[in-house]
């Protein structure tokens, strides 16, 4: 049996529909084209809103945490380390205002002399920090504080300066310069000295001798002399004034304290620093 021929024979040549049947068919087709669910666009909108909120969260937090820069100028140092005169009236904004001291002219003179003594003791430490006291004639009534308060302020400034110095030098020594053995047998080692906002590279050279020690079965230092220093880059001038060597660590280390004067743009600083030279078991110095 030929199925194709049978179907062609049994199906009418044409199908006639009434207008009502045609309208029903069009209505069903249009309804079938409309989406049954609208959940997906809603989900996409919610997810997009969540992602936008997450992306903005760090910005909002950074704005909330932002604080204005400090305007504390009680011990301001210029970029070139210029000496600043101390006005002991400067108080922290966190402290409540204090009543000015009521002093006689004689008491003011005694206080001022003690201020000078405190400054002198601080300068003897030769930290590279240079500061002084304004002339007594320029002192206003609100400047005066007790000598103990004045000394506390000076010590605080020194500690802050030394902490900054350690941080800057430690950062430079993460990748230290190589120790050099010169043709004359001397050894040169590089370190850094710090003045307010000025970090200078300085080379320290010395003659060292080691000797085999049977007790420790290794080389140990026995002599250090002719210690000299110079700036690696000739910006400013450095003059060494003294040095002192100390043999420590069972003879494996020479700790050398060096003092000198640094002049830069008409400013004068006294500076003392310490550098260590070590030797390994074979007598190599580093």
């Amino acid at each position: 049996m030929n199925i194709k021929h049978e179907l062609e024979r049994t199906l009418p040549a044409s199908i006639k529909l009434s207008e009502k049947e045609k309208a029903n068919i069009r209505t069903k087709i249009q309804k079938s084209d409309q989406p049954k669910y609208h959940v997906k666009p809603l989900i996409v909108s919610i997810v997009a809103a969540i992602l936008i909120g997450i992306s903005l969260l760090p910005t909002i937090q950074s704005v909330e945490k932002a604080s204005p820069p400090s305007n504390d100028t009680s011990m301001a140092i210029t970029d070139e380390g210029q000496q600043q005169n101390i006005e002991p009236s400067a108080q922290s904004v966190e402290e409540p205002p204090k009543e000015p001291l009521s002093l006689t002219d004689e008491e003011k003179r005694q206080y001022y002399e003690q201020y000078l003594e405190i400054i002198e003791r601080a300068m003897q430490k030769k930290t590279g920090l240079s500061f002084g006291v304004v002339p007594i004639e320029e002192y206003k009534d609100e400047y005066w504080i007790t000598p103990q308060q004045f000394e506390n302020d000076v010590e605080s400034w020194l500690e802050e300066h030394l902490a900054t110095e350690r941080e800057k030098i430690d950062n430079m020594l993460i990748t230290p310069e190589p120790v050099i053995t010169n043709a004359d047998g001397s050894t040169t080692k590089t370190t850094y000295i710090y003045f307010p906002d000025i970090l200078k590279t300085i080379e320290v050279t010395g003659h060292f001798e080691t000797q085999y020690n049977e007790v420790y079965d290794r080389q140990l230092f026995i002599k250090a002399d002719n210690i000299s220093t110079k700036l690696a880059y000739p910006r400013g001038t450095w003059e060494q004034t003294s040095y002192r060597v100390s043999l420590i660590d069972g003879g494996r280390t020479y700790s050398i304290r060096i003092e000198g004067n640094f002049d830069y743009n008409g400013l004068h600083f006294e500076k003392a620093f310490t550098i260590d030279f070590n030797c390994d078991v074979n007598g190599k110095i580093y």
Side-chain angles (χ1 to χ4, degrees), residues 179 187 189 208 210 218 221 248-249 251-254 276-280 283-286:
V179 177
T187 301
K189 189 172 183 178
F208 302 92
T210 65
R218 57 162 296 151
F221 279 122
I248 61 175
D249 198 21
R252 290 177 290 183
T253 302
Y254 264 121
D276 290 344
F277 283 80
N278 308 280
C279 72
D280 64 12
K284 181 179 178 181
I285 300 171
Y286 61 97

Side-chain angles (χ1 to χ4, degrees), residues 17 22 38 40 51 62 115 154 191 209 229 241 262 267:
L17 298 175
K22 293 179 181 180
H38 301 277
K40 183 178 293 186
L51 293 176
S62 64
Y115 293 165
V154 171
T191 189
E209 292 184 20
T229 52
T241 57
F262 177 64
L267 302 172

Side-chain angles (χ1 to χ4, degrees), residues 83-129:
Q83 173 179 305
Q84 299 295 301
N85 289 327
I86 298 174
E87 298 180 356
S89 63
Q91 297 179 3
S92 170
V93 294
E94 299 174 353
E95 296 179 357
K98 298 178 181 179
E99 290 292 331
L101 296 178
S102 179
L103 302 174
T104 65
D105 289 343
E106 178 61 24
E107 288 173 329
K108 290 179 180 179
R109 185 186 64 79
Q110 294 175 358
Y111 273 30
Y112 188 80
E113 289 179 355
Q114 294 183 63
Y115 293 165
L116 294 177
E117 292 174 358
I118 292 168
I119 292 296
E120 179 62 25
R121 290 197 298 269
M123 295 297 290
Q124 288 176 357
K125 297 180 180 180
K126 300 181 179 181
T127 61
L129 185 63

Side-chain angles (χ1 to χ4, degrees), residues 1-10:
M1 177 185 294
N2 193 319
I3 297 176
K4 178 179 180 182
H5 291 310
E6 287 295 322
L7 289 173
E8 290 176 348
R9 186 177 60 82
T10 57

Side-chain angles (χ1 to χ4, degrees), residues 24-267:
N24 288 336
I25 292 174
R26 284 195 295 268
T27 301
K28 290 180 181 181
I29 292 174
Q30 291 175 354
K31 288 183 178 179
S32 63
D33 290 339
Q34 296 178 356
K36 295 182 180 181
Y37 301 100
H38 301 277
V39 177
K40 183 178 293 186
L42 179 61
I43 294 175
V44 171
S45 299
I46 293 174
V47 171
I50 292 174
L51 293 176
I52 293 172
I54 293 174
S55 65
L56 292 176
L57 184 58
T59 303
I60 296 172
Q61 291 176 338
S62 64
V63 172
E64 291 176 348
K65 293 180 180 179
S67 59
S70 171
N71 292 321
D72 182 12
T73 57
S74 60
M75 187 53 184
I77 303 296
T78 64
D79 289 345
E80 295 181 349
Q82 183 173 353
Q83 173 179 305
Q84 299 295 301
N85 289 327
I86 298 174
E87 298 180 356
S89 63
Q91 297 179 3
S92 170
V93 294
E94 299 174 353
E95 296 179 357
K98 298 178 181 179
E99 290 292 331
L101 296 178
S102 179
L103 302 174
T104 65
D105 289 343
E106 178 61 24
E107 288 173 329
K108 290 179 180 179
R109 185 186 64 79
Q110 294 175 358
Y111 273 30
Y112 188 80
E113 289 179 355
Q114 294 183 63
Y115 293 165
L116 294 177
E117 292 174 358
I118 292 168
I119 292 296
E120 179 62 25
R121 290 197 298 269
M123 295 297 290
Q124 288 176 357
K125 297 180 180 180
K126 300 181 179 181
T127 61
L129 185 63
S130 180
F131 49 88
V133 186
V134 297
I136 190 171
E137 296 82 9
E138 299 179 14
Y139 262 53
K140 298 178 182 179
D141 289 340
E142 61 268 24
Y143 285 6
W144 297 99
I145 59 177
T146 66
Q148 183 60 56
Q149 290 174 314
F150 186 88
E151 186 170 19
N152 291 342
D153 287 343
V154 171
E155 290 296 328
S156 176
W157 296 327
L158 288 175
E159 291 174 3
E160 182 179 352
H161 169 76
L162 293 175
T164 303
E165 177 181 56
R166 287 191 296 269
E167 179 183 2
K168 290 183 177 295
I169 292 178
D170 287 346
N171 288 338
M172 295 299 296
L173 293 178
I174 292 176
T175 53
E177 297 290 332
V179 177
I180 299 173
T181 301
N182 303 301
D184 62 355
S186 62
T187 301
T188 298
K189 189 172 183 178
T190 299
T191 189
Y192 304 89
I193 52 178
Y194 177 71
F195 307 92
D197 294 332
I198 304 174
L199 189 65
K200 301 297 293 184
T201 306
I202 191 166
E203 297 174 348
V204 182
T205 300
H207 287 78
F208 302 92
E209 292 184 20
T210 65
Q211 180 175 287
Y212 177 74
N213 186 290
E214 294 182 356
V215 175
Y216 295 100
D217 189 28
R218 57 162 296 151
Q219 293 281 328
L220 297 175
F221 279 122
I222 60 170
K223 186 179 180 181
D225 60 12
N226 295 331
I227 306 299
S228 63
T229 52
K230 71 173 183 177
L231 296 178
Y233 306 100
R235 187 179 179 186
T237 59
W238 165 261
E239 180 186 6
Q240 179 179 309
T241 57
S242 66
Y243 71 89
R244 184 178 69 250
V245 299
S246 300
L247 187 59
I248 61 175
D249 198 21
R252 290 177 290 183
T253 302
Y254 264 121
S255 180
I256 306 174
R257 176 183 169 86
I258 299 169
E259 297 183 6
N261 299 316
F262 177 64
D263 292 283
Y264 180 75
N265 282 357
L267 302 172

